[in-house]
Structure formats: structure tokens, C-alpha cells
Amino acid sequence: MATQKLTEYEIKRLENIRRNDEMLAALQLHAKASLLSNASKRQRDGSAKSYKVSPAKKPKKTETPIVIRRSLRTRGMPPDSNCLDADSNENSDKTTLNRASISREKPSPCVLGPLKMRDAYDGTGSDRAFIDTLLSFERKLKSGVGVREKFDCFKVKEEGNDRVLSGPIKRKVKSDNSNCGIKIEKREIEGLVDLESMSLEPENIARIIPGRIMTVRFLPRSDVNIVAAGNKLGNVAFWNVDSKGENGDGIFLYRPHTGPISGILFQQSCLSKAIEIVRMPIFTSCYDGYLRLMDAEKEVFNVVHSCDDAIFCLSQHLNDVKSLYFGEGRGGLSVWDDRTGSVSSQWTLHEDRINTIDFNPQNPNIMATSSSDATVCLWDLRKVDAGKPKSLKIVNHERAVHSAYFSPSGSSLASTSFDDTIGILSGVNFEDTYRVQHYNQTGRWISSFRYGLGQLDKAIWGWDDSFVYVGNMKRGVDIISPAQRRVIKTLQSPHMTAIPCRFHAHPCRVGMLAGATGGGQVYIWTSS
């Protein structure tokens, strides 16, 4: 095979390789590289041998063990009071007081059972004066005096500068069950209140409870002015307006519940055929599902009823002081009987929660309910079927209805709704219906407006059918005339620093109106 001829490039490459080899040979780089490689190999062998030589062992030092601190709480042990420093004489009394306060914990209001008033008391000072005041209302009656009769309105007499509602005037109730069964006698009643004389004095203003007030009520007595209020936190406060510096500020704060207070009810009387002591039980209802009885004689808050659903309103039948009506859950209404200590009747009357329950003073068998399902319903208790209750009349609003109350004469019904209207029903069968425009949007921090004709609650009759009282967003009280179908006056005062959202008129004193706010204040307007 013939040898291939090298190209010019290959010849030049071979010549460069030869020249480089001669240059490296002249510098003796190959010999020096061999010596360096042998030296590094010896170092590796020596380091391996020295690595196997173990260093001299040093004696171990005795070290204190590390202690992990854990609190008595995490170890499930009770607190140790011996660790408190009580060596100082000047602090020994304070230390003893702190130990006593720590050791005695108050029972929780959610306990299903009696709650002592002293354990539920959250106010300053002592509540002994308030308990004594409630006990002083008890009096003995002779046999036969406590016969209940139906009343029309109250006589008004002058006591100093106050107009006190005294002895009732008897009347015959005319009730016709024809047609829809609501026929009510219509009567004209002159106004008892001089609106121009109503004023707000600084001494009639007080912050009696923390947080937003959900309900406010006057104690139904003419010899004392006591206001009760319940807030969103489960507190119930009582303010003796007439204390005037006696026994502190006259404010007594309790916490018998754990949620918003939905109702405060003063039971009017407990009469029997024999001689008996008349007491005034105080019932409170709450969103926590508890119905409690405040017993001043035993000084306890007793649980008379408990349920899994929230209780949104509380009322009492005019002719049956032994029964309590309350709305619970989603549209349910229950009747609790004091004689049996249990619920005697239960109905589902609305599609959503019931906000108020009220009874007609002329015909107490007629009941009105307002609901968040945007309706007001009238019912005849004698014809309510447990399976499918059928209402006598339904009044529709565009949004939730938060109250519906009969007038003191029973001839009218007023409802308030979030649709910015106040509905008025009147007529023999409540067939006349009209709306009065009123801004009812209170926002999230203020309780929704509720009002009443002359009063803001069921079973408390005073005043007349002339006016409807409702709060406004300008820190005032609007007075609406159902006859004129408009706001005729607004009560305003420089002392009013908050928006009133809950109202109640004193059932025994004409012109005394209490307004409550979202900040726990109570303002009492009076008429001279």
C-alpha cells in the first residue's frame, strides 16, 4: 500500500510538536514533574499514618445538668402561693387580698343551674341596697283584693310636678269574632303628654352598662324610678334614678348570661285566693338559649328554661301571668308554663326569627308577631293549629321587620322595618294600612330602631294612642302622629351625645321616656 503524501498543514504541525519537545527537554520539566509527583505521594502516605494516631485523652469536666423550666399550669398543677414574696410588711395585706381573689373564681353564667347574685355581680361596691329595694316592694294583701279586671286607661293625678297614673278605670271589652276575628272597638283618646314641656336634664343621664344596649325597661311602679337595661355581652344593669348620691351612683351591674340580652320582663303580680306576699319576679332572656328568673328573696338567678336555639324576644300574656311567650330559633314560638315548669306549646309561625311578640289589650287572644322574614302576622291564640298555624292577617314589608306593637287602646298596630318605613294598621279589623317614611338604617354599631305607641313594650299600658316615638340618626327622638301620618316634632338636647336606638316609656309616669344608646348610656326625658 503506497504511503499517502502529507499535506502542508500536517507537515507544519509535526514540526511544531518536535520544536516544543526540544524546548521542554532543555528546561528539564519532565524530570521536575516526576520528582514533584513522588514527593506528594510520600506526604499522602505519612498523613494517613499520623491520622491513625489518636490524641491524648483529656479528663472529662463535671457539668451541671440543663434544667428545662415548665410552669405549674403546663404540668397540670395548681398554683403555689408559697412562692409569693410576702416578707415585706407593707405589702403583706395586698398579697393576702390577691391570694383570696385568685382562689375564689366566679361561676360561669353558662352553668345550667342557680347563679348567686353575688357571683353574677360585676358592679362596684355592694348590691345590698338594690336587693333591699326589691324586697321592699313585697306587701301583704287581704283575701279577695287581687281580682283581675280588664282596664281601659288610667286616671292621672298630680303629685308635685309629676303626673302619676293611679287607679284604673274599668271598662267592658267589646270583642266580635266575626269575619277575621279581630274586630276591635275604636275610641278617640285625648293626648296625655305635653310635648313642648318634655326636656332632658343632666342628672337624668348615665352610662349604666358597658357596650351596646339591646333592651331597656322601666320598673312598673309609681313610687320609684328604676331603669333596667341589657347589653350585647350578657350584662343586666339596674339604675335607681332617684338615688341622688345615696348608696353610690345607684347603678347595679350583673352578668347572668353569656350573650346578647333579648328581653327583660317584670312580672306584674302573683296573686292567689289566700293572703300572700306579692313579689315582682324579673325574667331575662338571652341569645345563649337561657331563660332566667331573678329572685331577690333567694338572691339567685335561676334557670327556668334552656334550649339549643337562641331566644330572640320575650313577652307575657295579659291575662295569664303564669305563662311566658318567647321566640326561639328560626321562626319558632314557645309558651313556658310556670305551673309545670316546662314548655306547654310550640309553634313555627315564621320562616325566619321572631323579633317581637305583643298582645292586644282589648282582646288578649289576638297576638302580633314581627319577623326577619319581612312580615307582621296577627294570630288568634284560640285557633292556632300546632300542625299548620294559620294567621288572621299578614302585612308584608320589603325588608326585615324588627318590631310590631299594639297601641294602648288596642285599636292600632305599629311596625318598623329596615325598608325605611313605619307601618300603621288601624280599623275595626285592621284593614286600614299606610306607611310613614322614616330612615331606619342604623349601621352595624347601633342597635336597630324599635319604638312603641306611648310605650315600647308589651303588657305595659300608659300614655295614649297619640304618638309614636322613634330615634333618628341625628341624636334625637322623632315623634310621629298616626293621625297626621308624619313626624310632628323631634326631641333634641345638647346633652344628647349619642344616637338613641331603644326606647321605653314609664308605665306609671306620664312624660317620662327612656332612650338607650349603643354605648351603654341611658337618657331620660321628663315632662314638667
Side-chain angles (χ1 to χ4, degrees):
M1 181 174 176
T3 305
Q4 294 182 355
K5 187 177 181 180
L6 298 176
T7 61
E8 182 179 359
Y9 171 76
E10 292 175 342
I11 295 172
K12 188 175 182 180
R13 176 177 174 275
L14 294 174
E15 184 179 357
N16 290 337
I17 292 173
R18 182 184 54 80
R19 187 174 62 252
N20 291 337
D21 291 340
E22 292 176 354
M23 185 181 299
L24 293 174
L27 295 174
Q28 298 180 353
L29 293 180
H30 291 288
K32 293 180 179 180
S34 178
L35 293 175
L36 183 61
S37 176
N38 294 333
S40 61
K41 185 177 181 180
R42 286 193 300 270
Q43 286 182 358
R44 286 195 300 270
D45 295 341
S47 63
K49 292 179 181 180
S50 62
Y51 178 75
K52 293 180 182 180
V53 178
S54 60
K57 294 183 178 181
K58 297 181 180 180
K60 293 183 178 180
K61 296 181 179 180
T62 58
E63 298 180 355
T64 57
I66 299 176
V67 179
I68 300 176
R69 298 184 59 185
R70 294 181 61 192
S71 65
L72 296 176
R73 180 183 61 82
T74 58
R75 284 184 283 174
M77 299 173 62
D80 185 9
S81 60
N82 295 329
C83 63
L84 298 176
D85 185 11
D87 295 336
S88 177
N89 292 331
E90 61 182 4
N91 295 330
S92 60
D93 294 338
K94 294 181 180 180
T95 305
T96 304
L97 181 60
N98 291 335
R99 290 176 184 174
S101 61
I102 293 173
S103 61
R104 188 178 72 89
E105 296 182 357
K106 290 186 176 181
S108 173
C110 62
V111 174
L112 186 60
L115 179 64
K116 294 182 179 180
M117 291 180 63
R118 66 169 179 268
D119 294 331
Y121 187 63
D122 279 352
T124 59
S126 173
D127 62 341
R128 188 71 256 171
F130 173 66
I131 296 175
D132 293 340
T133 301
L134 293 180
L135 294 177
S136 67
F137 296 153
E138 299 183 353
R139 66 185 185 275
K140 291 187 177 181
L141 293 181
K142 294 182 179 180
S143 177
V145 176
V147 178
R148 298 185 59 85
E149 300 186 59
K150 298 179 183 295
F151 302 119
D152 182 10
C153 57
F154 292 85
K155 295 178 181 178
V156 180
K157 68 178 182 179
E158 302 290 337
E159 286 188 3
N161 295 327
D162 296 330
R163 304 179 71 199
V164 181
L165 296 177
S166 61
I169 303 174
K170 302 177 185 178
R171 68 169 170 84
K172 295 181 179 179
V173 177
K174 182 180 293 186
S175 178
D176 189 350
N177 296 325
S178 60
N179 297 331
C180 65
I182 318 177
K183 191 171 183 180
I184 301 297
E185 180 183 0
K186 186 176 181 181
R187 292 163 292 118
E188 298 293 335
I189 300 178
E190 296 181 358
L192 298 176
V193 185
D194 183 8
L195 300 180
E196 299 299 329
S197 65
M198 296 188 67
S199 61
L200 179 63
E201 302 298 332
E203 60 269 17
N204 292 332
I205 302 173
R207 186 176 187 269
I208 68 173
I209 199 169
R212 183 193 306 182
I213 294 181
M214 305 295 291
T215 181
V216 61
R217 298 289 181 269
F218 272 111
L219 188 72
R221 293 189 64 91
S222 60
D223 55 346
V224 66
N225 294 321
I226 294 181
V227 180
N231 69 356
K232 192 177 181 180
L233 307 176
N235 296 106
V236 177
F238 299 90
W239 176 27
N240 189 344
V241 184
D242 300 327
S243 62
K244 305 299 182 184
E246 301 177 1
N247 300 318
D249 53 7
I251 299 174
F252 306 94
L253 180 65
Y254 299 90
R255 189 169 185 264
H257 295 279
T258 59
I261 303 297
S262 58
I264 300 176
L265 179 63
F266 298 99
Q267 198 172 26
Q268 291 297 320
S269 61
C270 297
L271 303 179
S272 68
K273 296 180 180 179
I275 299 177
E276 185 178 356
I277 295 179
V278 176
R279 300 181 180 88
M280 185 175 292
I282 302 174
F283 290 94
T284 58
S285 60
C286 180
Y287 285 22
D288 60 9
Y290 285 178
L291 184 63
R292 287 189 180 270
L293 166 63
M294 180 180 177
D295 192 335
E297 183 182 12
K298 298 180 180 179
E299 299 185 13
V300 295
F301 288 94
N302 283 319
V303 176
V304 298
H305 176 74
S306 64
C307 55
D308 296 332
D309 297 321
I311 299 177
F312 296 110
C313 56
L314 180 65
S315 182
Q316 187 177 50
H317 195 279
L318 300 179
N319 290 345
D320 187 4
V321 297
K322 293 293 185 178
S323 297
L324 297 179
Y325 290 69
F326 56 92
E328 61 176 337
R330 195 173 182 85
L333 188 145
S334 301
V335 182
W336 180 80
D337 194 335
D338 185 24
R339 290 156 290 202
T340 61
S342 61
V343 173
S344 58
S345 301
Q346 285 184 317
W347 307 300
T348 300
L349 303 183
H350 288 270
E351 296 179 357
D352 208 337
R353 54 179 278 185
I354 298 176
N355 294 312
T356 59
I357 304 169
D358 197 20
F359 298 92
N360 191 289
Q362 275 200 54
N363 186 356
N365 291 315
I366 303 301
M367 179 181 67
T369 57
S370 66
S371 173
S372 296
D373 63 5
T375 62
V376 176
C377 294
L378 298 180
W379 312 85
D380 190 339
L381 294 177
R382 298 163 297 184
K383 302 178 181 180
V384 177
D385 185 7
K388 294 182 179 180
K390 185 178 180 181
S391 61
L392 298 174
K393 187 178 183 61
I394 300 178
V395 180
N396 293 297
H397 281 264
E398 296 180 3
R399 297 186 65 181
V401 183
H402 284 272
S403 68
Y405 295 107
F406 286 105
S407 64
S409 69
S411 59
S412 300
L413 179 74
S415 62
T416 181
S417 171
F418 265 145
D419 61 5
D420 291 338
T421 63
I422 295 174
I424 304 294
L425 278 72
S426 59
V428 177
N429 292 319
F430 295 100
E431 69 278 2
D432 299 332
T433 304
Y434 60 90
R435 305 287 177 87
V436 177
Q437 295 294 323
H438 187 273
Y439 186 74
N440 297 329
Q441 307 300 320
T442 56
R444 62 177 298 189
W445 301 115
I446 304 174
S447 301
S448 58
F449 290 137
R450 289 185 184 176
Y451 54 86
L453 287 140
Q455 84 284 315
L456 180 60
D457 201 9
K458 54 276 175 186
I460 300 177
W461 318 117
W463 303 29
D464 50 46
D465 290 16
S466 302
F467 308 112
V468 176
Y469 300 86
V470 59
N472 62 31
M473 296 297 289
K474 297 181 180 180
R475 301 175 183 176
V477 183
D478 288 335
I479 302 177
I480 299 175
S481 171
Q484 302 182 31
R485 303 185 181 185
R486 64 181 181 88
V487 177
I488 61 172
K489 184 176 176 59
T490 299
L491 299 179
Q492 291 181 324
S493 172
H495 304 300
M496 182 80 74
T497 59
I499 298 172
C501 53
R502 291 287 189 271
F503 292 94
H504 190 214
H506 201 299
C508 302
R509 291 188 178 273
V510 177
M512 182 170 285
L513 178 70
T517 70
Q521 299 95 344
V522 173
Y523 300 84
I524 299 179
W525 295 79
T526 57
S527 177
S528 59

